[in-house]
Amino acid sequence: MKDSQHFADANRMGDKFAISKATERDVLNKVAAKFAESTMEGIDFIFDMLIEHGTYEHSRVSKQRFKDYVLDITKDVREQEVDILLKTHVLLQGKDYIELSDFRALFEGPVQMAKHRKVEELAEALKKEGVNALPYHAGLDKSVRDTNQDRFQQEDGVVMTATVAFGM
């Protein structure tokens, strides 16, 4: 979806904004992919970097701090996209802060999917360079994970590209 189409879907209704689910998903996935690129740590680590108030369990991050971070780590997420997301998502409407539970609900799935793609892309890039590389992440079928793990353990010269799922 082109950037101009993102904003054509956002319609102002009084003090509230409406955004199509497809546009909201596109923006969430774009931001989540940038989170995944910025660190291989989990979503809690990212949230922890942004904490401004309270202890970890009762913490929250201002929407402005979140927006500044997103715009700092990426050049292809536009400020208007982040504003629309912060104003329209049902978990964030009417709040000045993002709580940990809302942050997890928003980004945990998309960040994991982005990390899975990254693991697979790295394995493919290594294969193109002649390296015997296999991906491993929780999103793969169990049979594929088992086969890849067996090959890694039993064959010489196998490189595993993996998320933390490999260590579990």
Side-chain angles (χ1 to χ4, degrees):
M1 177 177 282
K2 294 187 178 209
D3 285 339
S4 60
Q5 291 172 316
H6 282 298
F7 309 117
D9 292 338
N11 303 306
R12 189 166 174 97
M13 301 180 316
D15 287 338
K16 301 213 180 215
F17 285 81
I19 189 171
S20 75
K21 287 295 174 191
T23 299
E24 184 176 280
R25 186 179 54 251
D26 288 347
V27 172
L28 269 172
N29 288 336
K30 186 186 270 189
V31 172
K34 290 302 167 184
F35 281 155
E37 289 173 14
S38 70
T39 178
M40 282 305 285
E41 300 293 335
I43 198 71
D44 288 356
F45 178 84
I46 295 166
F47 188 83
D48 195 35
M49 289 188 325
L50 298 173
I51 290 176
E52 292 177 301
H53 306 286
T55 61
Y56 183 74
E57 287 91 20
H58 300 92
S59 56
R60 58 189 187 174
V61 172
S62 74
K63 286 182 174 180
Q64 185 62 50
R65 183 164 169 85
F66 169 80
K67 177 179 164 181
D68 291 346
Y69 177 75
V70 169
L71 295 175
D72 184 52
I73 66 169
T74 181
K75 301 297 181 235
D76 61 349
V77 174
R78 294 177 46 191
E79 183 173 0
Q80 191 175 9
E81 290 175 306
V82 180
D83 286 339
I84 290 170
L85 175 66
L86 293 174
K87 290 175 183 174
T88 62
H89 197 281
V90 68
L91 293 174
L92 305 177
Q93 284 181 347
K95 297 179 182 177
D96 293 327
Y97 289 89
I98 305 170
E99 296 176 14
L100 177 59
S101 59
D102 294 337
F103 196 76
R104 281 181 181 154
L106 275 170
F107 293 109
E108 202 157 39
V111 165
Q112 280 307 102
M113 288 174 41
K115 286 182 181 183
H116 295 172
R117 276 192 310 276
K118 196 172 177 182
V119 162
E120 291 175 10
E121 289 169 1
L122 180 57
E124 286 303 313
L126 289 170
K127 284 179 186 177
K128 287 179 182 175
E129 296 297 319
V131 176
N132 188 5
L134 302 170
Y136 190 102
H137 59 75
L140 293 171
D141 286 339
K142 184 175 178 348
S143 63
V144 173
R145 287 194 315 267
D146 289 346
T147 298
N148 288 356
Q149 184 170 355
D150 289 344
R151 286 191 57 202
F152 178 75
Q153 291 173 330
Q154 296 169 8
E155 297 177 24
D156 289 334
V158 175
V159 173
M160 188 70 74
T161 62
T163 63
V164 296
F166 189 61
M168 297 184 147

